[in-house]
Amino acid sequence: MKQRIPDYYPDFHCIGSACKDNCCIGWEIDIDPVAWEDYRSQPGAFGERLRTEIDTEGEPHFRLKEDERCPFLNEQNLCDIITTLGAGHLCQICDRHPRFYTWLSDCTEAGLGLCCEEAARLILTHRTPVAFLEREAPMKGEQELPQQQPDQWENHLLAARQRALMILQNRTLPIESRVLLLLQYGEELQSCLEENLEQLPELFARWDAVQELHQPIKRPVLSTRQQKGALAWYQQFAGLYQEFEINDPAWMTQLQEIQTRLPEILQQAVQGLVLSPEAAREEEQLLVYGVWRYFMKAMQDHDALSKIHLVFSSWLMHRLLVLAQTEDCSCAQRLSLAVRYSKEIEYSEENIDALLAASFRSSLFGQDALRMALFAIMPDKVALSALTN
């Protein structure tokens, strides 16, 4: 089947024992039916070990040790299943991790998840704007599905996503300007999707012209009342994340520290302390990753705006995590923060669903509130006039 991928995707290889944040520790790994039949049929001592270390109550899964290590992760941090049987005997979750997939009518789209430190390195340190490639790539364990022509709705969303990616990859503008444009585009796009699909060509033409915009959006002077309102917005935003499911208690500690230090963090943001060229490229890749991963999920609920809000929230929380570091945040630290965020939020369906729900239930995500929140962290160095129409 045809597969569509980011250009860095083929470069991914598990780094095994060199990994500092091993995916075989702290994750309960379910075993798919094909792998379970394989493990049940393995002969000898290793086959007996396989069956002993698998809990069959409910969906079969590996029994984690007291230190939450997979029972087949050896002292060298290598997988005994691979070293004994070969990689072809991995269960589906282990074989695919950290890859994710979106099934479209005529192809499968694939990407790498940020929860893996090697994937995060490939994604965020990618120096050039990401290109998306097509190739033929049958998937292990998947029945080949008949290809169909995309329907009108799918084509609309593919065209809409293309514009979102173009906005984010416009390197003539600072990141904050691109994010502001993305939010504005999302509002206009959702209005068309809900009210008049016939206006989409006009919308796309107008935003194609916006790609010629080379002038950064200026941060307006915020009144004392607006500054207090922005601080209250950020307090509520940080509080929202504390309501989510927490995997690692250290994550809650980080969120609480952000909330406590928000006045200082917002001042740092205005001074532009995070915006080195390297960090700006990382943020672009983080945003592009989010659009690639989530935007086409609007095929199910026809809600593209909530996916853009999800991407915005993830970018903004990453910015706050970086600013909350007491010293200059190195590239390695920024990658580590992205990995932790992904593990806590992206790999919890409950947390992703809660963020998507907040998009239309919470006053945090009103258009004016989002613009004010963004202006509150826009560096003073950004110059020239604001886009008002």
Side-chain angles (χ1 to χ4, degrees):
M1 187 176 188
K2 185 171 66 176
Q3 189 179 69
R4 196 175 292 133
I5 56 173
D7 56 8
Y8 53 74
Y9 184 90
D11 296 331
F12 175 78
H13 300 282
C14 176
I15 59 175
S17 59
C19 184
K20 300 183 183 68
D21 187 33
N22 201 296
C23 59
C24 303
I25 302 173
W27 297 76
E28 184 174 286
I29 302 167
D30 293 334
I31 300 167
D32 59 281
V34 173
W36 174 226
E37 286 303 315
D38 178 26
Y39 298 158
R40 288 176 62 186
S41 66
Q42 289 296 324
F46 192 76
E48 186 60 32
R49 181 185 167 197
L50 273 168
R51 292 180 284 277
T52 300
E53 299 290 5
I54 293 173
D55 188 339
T56 58
E57 185 174 343
E59 188 168 3
H61 57 275
F62 294 114
R63 303 178 192 271
L64 297 184
K65 296 180 179 180
E66 288 186 4
D67 57 3
E68 294 197 323
R69 291 170 67 92
C70 172
F72 293 95
L73 184 66
N74 62 33
E75 292 181 357
Q76 290 75 41
N77 278 350
L78 297 174
C79 175
D80 283 340
I81 293 177
I82 293 178
T83 58
T84 304
L85 301 178
H89 290 268
L90 289 174
C91 65
Q92 190 176 90
I93 288 178
C94 294
D95 178 60
R96 292 184 177 179
H97 185 79
R99 301 164 185 87
F100 62 84
Y101 303 94
T102 302
W103 280 265
L104 305 180
S105 299
D106 64 344
C107 75
T108 301
E109 294 189 340
L112 302 173
L114 276 172
C115 67
C116 165
E117 66 180 58
E118 176 62 7
R121 184 191 67 80
L122 282 174
I123 295 166
L124 299 184
T125 64
H126 195 69
R127 295 184 65 86
T128 58
V130 176
F132 297 93
L133 316 174
E134 288 189 356
R135 66 179 186 176
E136 291 294 328
M139 291 179 60
K140 173 186 171 184
E142 292 289 338
Q143 182 178 359
E144 188 77 14
L145 299 175
Q147 295 187 24
Q148 303 174 358
Q149 289 300 314
D151 61 19
Q152 184 184 43
W153 182 254
E154 186 174 322
N155 281 328
H156 286 329
L157 288 177
L158 287 168
R161 183 181 65 181
Q162 179 184 356
R163 272 73 185 183
L165 292 170
M166 288 169 59
I167 291 168
L168 294 175
Q169 293 182 321
N170 182 355
R171 292 190 172 183
T172 64
L173 295 175
I175 286 292
E176 295 83 5
S177 296
R178 291 182 246 175
V179 172
L180 189 59
L181 290 171
L182 179 70
L183 291 171
Q184 183 175 331
Y185 170 69
E187 291 283 349
E188 295 180 17
L189 171 65
Q190 191 61 38
S191 177
C192 281
L193 294 178
E194 292 177 0
E195 298 172 11
N196 192 347
L197 289 176
E198 294 180 357
Q199 292 181 354
L200 279 176
E202 179 184 342
L203 175 75
F204 292 156
R206 182 150 37 86
W207 280 93
D208 287 344
V210 170
Q211 300 312 311
E212 302 303 318
L213 179 70
H214 301 303
Q215 304 298 341
I217 297 172
K218 184 179 179 181
R219 177 183 185 268
V221 177
L222 301 184
S223 67
T224 301
R225 180 180 177 183
Q226 288 173 323
Q227 291 176 19
K228 290 181 179 178
L231 177 59
W233 187 96
Y234 277 95
Q235 294 282 4
Q236 189 179 350
F237 181 72
L240 176 67
Y241 274 83
Q242 293 173 54
E243 297 172 6
F244 295 162
E245 179 183 64
I246 301 292
N247 178 48
D248 183 349
W251 172 245
M252 176 62 83
T253 301
Q254 280 186 291
L255 295 175
Q256 291 172 337
E257 180 184 1
I258 286 173
Q259 192 156 34
T260 301
R261 295 179 51 216
L262 270 172
E264 171 195 346
I265 288 171
L266 294 182
Q267 183 60 37
Q268 280 183 284
V270 169
Q271 293 171 354
L273 299 182
V274 73
L275 293 179
S276 68
E278 181 183 53
R281 283 195 303 268
E282 291 166 16
E283 290 194 354
E284 174 192 308
Q285 305 299 12
L286 180 67
L287 289 157
V288 167
Y289 158 85
V291 169
W292 180 252
R293 180 162 193 165
Y294 294 109
F295 190 89
M296 292 306 292
K297 295 185 184 300
M299 288 192 302
Q300 281 74 49
D301 60 11
H302 293 193
D303 184 2
L305 182 59
S306 68
K307 313 309 178 289
I308 288 176
H309 286 166
L310 172 61
V311 173
F312 167 80
S313 298
S314 298
W315 165 78
L316 183 59
M317 180 52 73
H318 181 263
R319 172 72 71 88
L320 295 177
L321 288 165
V322 169
L323 287 168
Q325 303 304 298
T326 53
E327 301 176 356
D328 288 345
C329 199
S330 68
C331 176
Q333 289 174 307
R334 294 192 297 270
L335 298 188
S336 178
L337 291 171
V339 169
R340 167 163 280 183
Y341 178 93
S342 180
K343 291 174 70 172
E344 289 288 342
I345 303 301
E346 291 192 307
Y347 284 80
S348 165
E349 289 187 17
E350 292 84 356
N351 289 345
I352 287 294
D353 288 345
L355 260 180
L356 290 170
S359 172
F360 55 87
R361 291 179 183 169
S362 172
S363 59
L364 280 171
F365 293 92
Q367 186 174 12
D368 291 340
L370 290 175
R371 287 175 64 88
M372 190 57 59
L374 192 51
F375 285 144
I377 64 163
M378 186 174 284
D380 281 330
K381 295 176 184 177
V382 175
L384 304 174
S385 61
L387 183 72
T388 57
N389 296 312

PDB file of all heavy atoms in Angstrom, residues 59-80:
ATOM      1  N   GLU A  59      -6.397  -8.886  28.390  1.00  0.00           N
ATOM      2  CA  GLU A  59      -5.555  -8.961  27.198  1.00  0.00           C
ATOM      3  C   GLU A  59      -4.150  -9.386  27.602  1.00  0.00           C
ATOM      4  O   GLU A  59      -3.589  -8.853  28.564  1.00  0.00           O
ATOM      5  CB  GLU A  59      -5.504  -7.602  26.492  1.00  0.00           C
ATOM      6  CG  GLU A  59      -4.811  -7.625  25.153  1.00  0.00           C
ATOM      7  CD  GLU A  59      -5.023  -6.362  24.355  1.00  0.00           C
ATOM      8  OE1 GLU A  59      -5.666  -5.430  24.876  1.00  0.00           O
ATOM      9  OE2 GLU A  59      -4.551  -6.310  23.206  1.00  0.00           O
ATOM     10  N   PRO A  60      -3.564 -10.384  26.914  1.00  0.00           N
ATOM     11  CA  PRO A  60      -2.223 -10.828  27.299  1.00  0.00           C
ATOM     12  C   PRO A  60      -1.234  -9.662  27.302  1.00  0.00           C
ATOM     13  O   PRO A  60      -1.230  -8.824  26.402  1.00  0.00           O
ATOM     14  CB  PRO A  60      -1.868 -11.851  26.209  1.00  0.00           C
ATOM     15  CG  PRO A  60      -3.179 -12.337  25.688  1.00  0.00           C
ATOM     16  CD  PRO A  60      -4.100 -11.151  25.769  1.00  0.00           C
ATOM     17  N   HIS A  61      -0.383  -9.620  28.324  1.00  0.00           N
ATOM     18  CA  HIS A  61       0.635  -8.570  28.417  1.00  0.00           C
ATOM     19  C   HIS A  61       1.793  -9.077  29.252  1.00  0.00           C
ATOM     20  O   HIS A  61       1.647 -10.004  30.057  1.00  0.00           O
ATOM     21  CB  HIS A  61       0.057  -7.281  29.022  1.00  0.00           C
ATOM     22  CG  HIS A  61      -0.545  -7.479  30.383  1.00  0.00           C
ATOM     23  ND1 HIS A  61      -1.849  -7.899  30.573  1.00  0.00           N
ATOM     24  CD2 HIS A  61      -0.025  -7.336  31.640  1.00  0.00           C
ATOM     25  CE1 HIS A  61      -2.117  -7.998  31.864  1.00  0.00           C
ATOM     26  NE2 HIS A  61      -1.029  -7.664  32.526  1.00  0.00           N
ATOM     27  N   PHE A  62       2.949  -8.466  29.041  1.00  0.00           N
ATOM     28  CA  PHE A  62       4.128  -8.866  29.792  1.00  0.00           C
ATOM     29  C   PHE A  62       4.000  -8.427  31.249  1.00  0.00           C
ATOM     30  O   PHE A  62       3.531  -7.319  31.548  1.00  0.00           O
ATOM     31  CB  PHE A  62       5.390  -8.247  29.172  1.00  0.00           C
ATOM     32  CG  PHE A  62       5.708  -8.752  27.795  1.00  0.00           C
ATOM     33  CD1 PHE A  62       5.654  -7.901  26.704  1.00  0.00           C
ATOM     34  CD2 PHE A  62       6.063 -10.072  27.597  1.00  0.00           C
ATOM     35  CE1 PHE A  62       5.952  -8.367  25.428  1.00  0.00           C
ATOM     36  CE2 PHE A  62       6.357 -10.543  26.325  1.00  0.00           C
ATOM     37  CZ  PHE A  62       6.301  -9.700  25.236  1.00  0.00           C
ATOM     38  N   ARG A  63       4.446  -9.292  32.159  1.00  0.00           N
ATOM     39  CA  ARG A  63       4.436  -8.964  33.586  1.00  0.00           C
ATOM     40  C   ARG A  63       5.671  -8.094  33.892  1.00  0.00           C
ATOM     41  O   ARG A  63       6.810  -8.580  33.806  1.00  0.00           O
ATOM     42  CB  ARG A  63       4.515 -10.237  34.441  1.00  0.00           C
ATOM     43  CG  ARG A  63       3.433 -11.264  34.198  1.00  0.00           C
ATOM     44  CD  ARG A  63       3.691 -12.482  35.089  1.00  0.00           C
ATOM     45  NE  ARG A  63       2.872 -13.603  34.714  1.00  0.00           N
ATOM     46  CZ  ARG A  63       1.646 -13.837  35.199  1.00  0.00           C
ATOM     47  NH1 ARG A  63       1.135 -12.990  36.076  1.00  0.00           N
ATOM     48  NH2 ARG A  63       0.967 -14.902  34.823  1.00  0.00           N
ATOM     49  N   LEU A  64       5.479  -6.856  34.233  1.00  0.00           N
ATOM     50  CA  LEU A  64       6.607  -5.990  34.561  1.00  0.00           C
ATOM     51  C   LEU A  64       7.233  -6.420  35.888  1.00  0.00           C
ATOM     52  O   LEU A  64       6.551  -6.883  36.805  1.00  0.00           O
ATOM     53  CB  LEU A  64       6.166  -4.536  34.638  1.00  0.00           C
ATOM     54  CG  LEU A  64       5.620  -3.907  33.349  1.00  0.00           C
ATOM     55  CD1 LEU A  64       5.325  -2.431  33.584  1.00  0.00           C
ATOM     56  CD2 LEU A  64       6.575  -4.082  32.189  1.00  0.00           C
ATOM     57  N   LYS A  65       8.539  -6.227  35.996  1.00  0.00           N
ATOM     58  CA  LYS A  65       9.224  -6.497  37.253  1.00  0.00           C
ATOM     59  C   LYS A  65       8.914  -5.389  38.254  1.00  0.00           C
ATOM     60  O   LYS A  65       8.267  -4.397  37.935  1.00  0.00           O
ATOM     61  CB  LYS A  65      10.734  -6.585  37.002  1.00  0.00           C
ATOM     62  CG  LYS A  65      11.153  -7.739  36.097  1.00  0.00           C
ATOM     63  CD  LYS A  65      12.669  -7.729  35.910  1.00  0.00           C
ATOM     64  CE  LYS A  65      13.132  -8.873  35.034  1.00  0.00           C
ATOM     65  NZ  LYS A  65      14.608  -8.866  34.840  1.00  0.00           N
ATOM     66  N   GLU A  66       9.405  -5.565  39.477  1.00  0.00           N
ATOM     67  CA  GLU A  66       9.141  -4.577  40.521  1.00  0.00           C
ATOM     68  C   GLU A  66       9.678  -3.199  40.145  1.00  0.00           C
ATOM     69  O   GLU A  66       9.116  -2.177  40.536  1.00  0.00           O
ATOM     70  CB  GLU A  66       9.758  -5.032  41.852  1.00  0.00           C
ATOM     71  CG  GLU A  66       9.016  -6.211  42.487  1.00  0.00           C
ATOM     72  CD  GLU A  66       9.551  -6.544  43.865  1.00  0.00           C
ATOM     73  OE1 GLU A  66      10.448  -5.815  44.353  1.00  0.00           O
ATOM     74  OE2 GLU A  66       9.082  -7.529  44.457  1.00  0.00           O
ATOM     75  N   ASP A  67      10.784  -3.170  39.393  1.00  0.00           N
ATOM     76  CA  ASP A  67      11.336  -1.886  38.954  1.00  0.00           C
ATOM     77  C   ASP A  67      10.721  -1.422  37.642  1.00  0.00           C
ATOM     78  O   ASP A  67      11.216  -0.495  37.009  1.00  0.00           O
ATOM     79  CB  ASP A  67      12.853  -1.973  38.806  1.00  0.00           C
ATOM     80  CG  ASP A  67      13.297  -3.065  37.842  1.00  0.00           C
ATOM     81  OD1 ASP A  67      12.418  -3.723  37.247  1.00  0.00           O
ATOM     82  OD2 ASP A  67      14.516  -3.265  37.680  1.00  0.00           O
ATOM     83  N   GLU A  68       9.609  -2.079  37.233  1.00  0.00           N
ATOM     84  CA  GLU A  68       8.822  -1.752  36.041  1.00  0.00           C
ATOM     85  C   GLU A  68       9.573  -2.006  34.736  1.00  0.00           C
ATOM     86  O   GLU A  68       9.185  -1.506  33.694  1.00  0.00           O
ATOM     87  CB  GLU A  68       8.325  -0.289  36.091  1.00  0.00           C
ATOM     88  CG  GLU A  68       7.333  -0.044  37.208  1.00  0.00           C
ATOM     89  CD  GLU A  68       6.543   1.237  37.018  1.00  0.00           C
ATOM     90  OE1 GLU A  68       7.118   2.224  36.531  1.00  0.00           O
ATOM     91  OE2 GLU A  68       5.342   1.214  37.316  1.00  0.00           O
ATOM     92  N   ARG A  69      10.615  -2.816  34.788  1.00  0.00           N
ATOM     93  CA  ARG A  69      11.297  -3.224  33.565  1.00  0.00           C
ATOM     94  C   ARG A  69      10.544  -4.393  32.927  1.00  0.00           C
ATOM     95  O   ARG A  69      10.006  -5.259  33.623  1.00  0.00           O
ATOM     96  CB  ARG A  69      12.738  -3.654  33.865  1.00  0.00           C
ATOM     97  CG  ARG A  69      13.650  -2.513  34.281  1.00  0.00           C
ATOM     98  CD  ARG A  69      14.983  -3.051  34.783  1.00  0.00           C
ATOM     99  NE  ARG A  69      15.769  -3.684  33.714  1.00  0.00           N
ATOM    100  CZ  ARG A  69      16.669  -3.059  32.974  1.00  0.00           C
ATOM    101  NH1 ARG A  69      16.889  -1.756  33.162  1.00  0.00           N
ATOM    102  NH2 ARG A  69      17.344  -3.702  32.047  1.00  0.00           N
ATOM    103  N   CYS A  70      10.537  -4.416  31.601  1.00  0.00           N
ATOM    104  CA  CYS A  70      10.011  -5.575  30.890  1.00  0.00           C
ATOM    105  C   CYS A  70      10.843  -6.790  31.295  1.00  0.00           C
ATOM    106  O   CYS A  70      12.077  -6.692  31.388  1.00  0.00           O
ATOM    107  CB  CYS A  70      10.080  -5.354  29.382  1.00  0.00           C
ATOM    108  SG  CYS A  70       9.674  -6.825  28.411  1.00  0.00           S
ATOM    109  N   PRO A  71      10.227  -7.949  31.529  1.00  0.00           N
ATOM    110  CA  PRO A  71      10.997  -9.126  31.955  1.00  0.00           C
ATOM    111  C   PRO A  71      12.002  -9.608  30.910  1.00  0.00           C
ATOM    112  O   PRO A  71      12.900 -10.392  31.234  1.00  0.00           O
ATOM    113  CB  PRO A  71       9.910 -10.174  32.201  1.00  0.00           C
ATOM    114  CG  PRO A  71       8.740  -9.736  31.386  1.00  0.00           C
ATOM    115  CD  PRO A  71       8.791  -8.241  31.416  1.00  0.00           C
ATOM    116  N   PHE A  72      11.882  -9.126  29.680  1.00  0.00           N
ATOM    117  CA  PHE A  72      12.809  -9.549  28.635  1.00  0.00           C
ATOM    118  C   PHE A  72      13.854  -8.476  28.310  1.00  0.00           C
ATOM    119  O   PHE A  72      14.617  -8.623  27.354  1.00  0.00           O
ATOM    120  CB  PHE A  72      12.030  -9.955  27.375  1.00  0.00           C
ATOM    121  CG  PHE A  72      11.213 -11.189  27.589  1.00  0.00           C
ATOM    122  CD1 PHE A  72       9.875 -11.100  27.943  1.00  0.00           C
ATOM    123  CD2 PHE A  72      11.792 -12.440  27.505  1.00  0.00           C
ATOM    124  CE1 PHE A  72       9.122 -12.230  28.183  1.00  0.00           C
ATOM    125  CE2 PHE A  72      11.052 -13.595  27.747  1.00  0.00           C
ATOM    126  CZ  PHE A  72       9.713 -13.494  28.084  1.00  0.00           C
ATOM    127  N   LEU A  73      13.894  -7.422  29.116  1.00  0.00           N
ATOM    128  CA  LEU A  73      14.944  -6.414  28.979  1.00  0.00           C
ATOM    129  C   LEU A  73      16.109  -6.838  29.859  1.00  0.00           C
ATOM    130  O   LEU A  73      16.003  -6.852  31.090  1.00  0.00           O
ATOM    131  CB  LEU A  73      14.422  -5.038  29.398  1.00  0.00           C
ATOM    132  CG  LEU A  73      15.382  -3.872  29.224  1.00  0.00           C
ATOM    133  CD1 LEU A  73      15.676  -3.617  27.746  1.00  0.00           C
ATOM    134  CD2 LEU A  73      14.819  -2.603  29.873  1.00  0.00           C
ATOM    135  N   ASN A  74      17.222  -7.213  29.249  1.00  0.00           N
ATOM    136  CA  ASN A  74      18.322  -7.778  30.035  1.00  0.00           C
ATOM    137  C   ASN A  74      19.213  -6.695  30.645  1.00  0.00           C
ATOM    138  O   ASN A  74      18.949  -5.494  30.502  1.00  0.00           O
ATOM    139  CB  ASN A  74      19.127  -8.772  29.188  1.00  0.00           C
ATOM    140  CG  ASN A  74      19.788  -8.119  27.969  1.00  0.00           C
ATOM    141  OD1 ASN A  74      20.185  -6.950  28.006  1.00  0.00           O
ATOM    142  ND2 ASN A  74      19.916  -8.884  26.894  1.00  0.00           N
ATOM    143  N   GLU A  75      20.267  -7.114  31.306  1.00  0.00           N
ATOM    144  CA  GLU A  75      21.124  -6.177  32.029  1.00  0.00           C
ATOM    145  C   GLU A  75      21.856  -5.219  31.098  1.00  0.00           C
ATOM    146  O   GLU A  75      22.301  -4.152  31.512  1.00  0.00           O
ATOM    147  CB  GLU A  75      22.134  -6.953  32.884  1.00  0.00           C
ATOM    148  CG  GLU A  75      21.487  -7.709  34.039  1.00  0.00           C
ATOM    149  CD  GLU A  75      22.527  -8.440  34.874  1.00  0.00           C
ATOM    150  OE1 GLU A  75      23.721  -8.391  34.506  1.00  0.00           O
ATOM    151  OE2 GLU A  75      22.136  -9.052  35.882  1.00  0.00           O
ATOM    152  N   GLN A  76      22.004  -5.615  29.841  1.00  0.00           N
ATOM    153  CA  GLN A  76      22.640  -4.730  28.855  1.00  0.00           C
ATOM    154  C   GLN A  76      21.614  -3.821  28.165  1.00  0.00           C
ATOM    155  O   GLN A  76      21.934  -3.136  27.194  1.00  0.00           O
ATOM    156  CB  GLN A  76      23.368  -5.560  27.785  1.00  0.00           C
ATOM    157  CG  GLN A  76      24.613  -6.277  28.295  1.00  0.00           C
ATOM    158  CD  GLN A  76      24.271  -7.494  29.154  1.00  0.00           C
ATOM    159  OE1 GLN A  76      23.351  -8.258  28.828  1.00  0.00           O
ATOM    160  NE2 GLN A  76      24.989  -7.659  30.251  1.00  0.00           N
ATOM    161  N   ASN A  77      20.386  -3.838  28.684  1.00  0.00           N
ATOM    162  CA  ASN A  77      19.272  -3.067  28.094  1.00  0.00           C
ATOM    163  C   ASN A  77      19.002  -3.475  26.650  1.00  0.00           C
ATOM    164  O   ASN A  77      18.646  -2.643  25.808  1.00  0.00           O
ATOM    165  CB  ASN A  77      19.518  -1.556  28.184  1.00  0.00           C
ATOM    166  CG  ASN A  77      19.146  -0.998  29.550  1.00  0.00           C
ATOM    167  OD1 ASN A  77      18.534  -1.677  30.370  1.00  0.00           O
ATOM    168  ND2 ASN A  77      19.528   0.239  29.797  1.00  0.00           N
ATOM    169  N   LEU A  78      19.152  -4.746  26.387  1.00  0.00           N
ATOM    170  CA  LEU A  78      18.790  -5.323  25.094  1.00  0.00           C
ATOM    171  C   LEU A  78      17.632  -6.288  25.288  1.00  0.00           C
ATOM    172  O   LEU A  78      17.411  -6.809  26.391  1.00  0.00           O
ATOM    173  CB  LEU A  78      19.990  -6.047  24.476  1.00  0.00           C
ATOM    174  CG  LEU A  78      21.203  -5.167  24.141  1.00  0.00           C
ATOM    175  CD1 LEU A  78      22.372  -6.036  23.682  1.00  0.00           C
ATOM    176  CD2 LEU A  78      20.850  -4.132  23.083  1.00  0.00           C
ATOM    177  N   CYS A  79      16.885  -6.542  24.222  1.00  0.00           N
ATOM    178  CA  CYS A  79      15.687  -7.380  24.299  1.00  0.00           C
ATOM    179  C   CYS A  79      16.059  -8.844  24.077  1.00  0.00           C
ATOM    180  O   CYS A  79      16.601  -9.211  23.021  1.00  0.00           O
ATOM    181  CB  CYS A  79      14.674  -6.926  23.244  1.00  0.00           C
ATOM    182  SG  CYS A  79      13.219  -7.981  23.133  1.00  0.00           S
ATOM    183  N   ASP A  80      15.737  -9.694  25.047  1.00  0.00           N
ATOM    184  CA  ASP A  80      16.038 -11.118  24.925  1.00  0.00           C
ATOM    185  C   ASP A  80      15.221 -11.792  23.822  1.00  0.00           C
ATOM    186  O   ASP A  80      15.661 -12.807  23.268  1.00  0.00           O
ATOM    187  CB  ASP A  80      15.769 -11.824  26.255  1.00  0.00           C
ATOM    188  CG  ASP A  80      16.867 -11.573  27.283  1.00  0.00           C
ATOM    189  OD1 ASP A  80      17.984 -11.192  26.870  1.00  0.00           O
ATOM    190  OD2 ASP A  80      16.613 -11.752  28.488  1.00  0.00           O
TER     191      ASP A  80
END
